[in-house]
Each structure stands twice: as C-alpha cells, then as structure tokens.
C-alpha cells in the first residue's frame, strides 16, 4: 500500500496506519518506529524501484512518520514521552540525509532555472 499513487487513497492509508500506531505504540507495537524507519531506508536503497515509484513510496511513508511523530509529541503519559525521546535520534539519523538530498536537488533546480518559475514549480509538484 505504500506505493499507492492515488492521492486520496494514499492519504487515507497513511491516516489509518498512523491512527493504529497512535493506539498501539509503545505497548502493543513497540517496534513501530524502527519498522517505519527501516522501511524508509529500504525504499531509499532499493535499486529495483523506478524514480517515480520511489518518490511515491517515500512520500507516503514519510507522511506516516509525520503523523506518527505529531501524535506522539502530543502525548502526556510518561511512557509515551520517553518513547519519543528514545526514537528521536533514530528519526534524525534517517531523515537528515533525505532532507539534505532534497535541499541539494532544490538548489540545483534553482541554479539551472533561475529565470523559469515554471520549472521550479514543477520541482515542488514532483517532490
């Protein structure tokens, strides 16, 4: 389901997975964050994926991570707060290279297309 390219279906899938994780993490599904981060790394390093499919899958899994971290950060129980503190270094270790790659891609597009706003808009639409 991570390769769902229909935006509304992908959104609903991401919301459902994040909602399940909200209730199951850390008691029932303690490895959710590690599993999700492993999926992000697997997508990034899978040579069999086309660039378009990789982008779709990466966007979907990153959106699940966004929703998961957002819900986890609003928790007030001590166990859940500790879980967030424990996974934070792992999240940054995986997401920092992706962020740096996107910034480098954006910088390259800006340098190549300084006078073509439509190309810059296309970059954002495809990201």
């Amino acid at each position: 389901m991570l390769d769902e390219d229909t935006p509304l279906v992908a959104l609903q899938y991401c919301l459902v997975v994040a909602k399940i994780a909200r209730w199951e993490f850390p008691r029932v599904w303690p490895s959710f964050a590690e599993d999700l981060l492993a999926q992000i790394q697997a997508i990034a390093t899978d040579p069999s994926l086309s660039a378009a499919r990789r982008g779709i899958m990466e966007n979907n899994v990153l959106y699940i991570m966004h929703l998961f971290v957002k819900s986890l950060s609003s928790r007030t129980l001590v166990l859940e707060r500790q879980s967030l503190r424990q996974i934070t270094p792992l999240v940054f270790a995986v997401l920092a290279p992706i962020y740096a790659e996107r910034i480098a891609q954006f910088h390259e597009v800006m340098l190549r297309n300084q006078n073509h706003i439509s190309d810059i808009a296309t970059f954002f639409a495809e990201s």
Side-chain angles (χ1 to χ4, degrees), residues 51-83:
R53 188 163 181 228
R54 177 179 286 119
I56 290 168
M57 292 177 74
E58 193 172 77
N59 284 343
N60 290 342
V61 75
L62 288 174
Y63 191 61
I64 293 169
M65 179 58 76
H66 164 75
L67 294 170
F68 172 67
V69 169
K70 184 177 175 182
S71 71
L72 195 57
S73 67
S74 67
R75 300 281 186 94
T76 57
L77 296 177
V78 174
L79 176 63
E80 292 157 345
R81 287 283 204 197
Q82 287 174 343
S83 298

Side-chain angles (χ1 to χ4, degrees), residues 79-122:
L79 176 63
E80 292 157 345
R81 287 283 204 197
Q82 287 174 343
S83 298
L84 178 61
R85 280 190 215 104
Q86 289 173 349
I87 67 166
T88 298
L90 300 172
V91 170
F92 277 103
V94 171
L95 297 184
I98 294 171
Y99 177 77
E101 180 183 342
R102 295 298 180 273
I103 293 297
Q105 289 172 349
F106 175 71
H107 186 257
E108 181 181 318
V109 168
M110 292 295 290
L111 289 176
R112 272 188 295 150
N113 304 302
Q114 292 177 358
N115 299 323
H116 299 86
I117 283 294
S118 63
D119 292 338
I120 296 170
T122 303

Side-chain angles (χ1 to χ4, degrees), residues 38-51:
Q39 187 66 39
I40 293 170
Q41 289 176 322
I43 291 168
T45 59
D46 188 350
S48 67
L49 293 175
S50 68

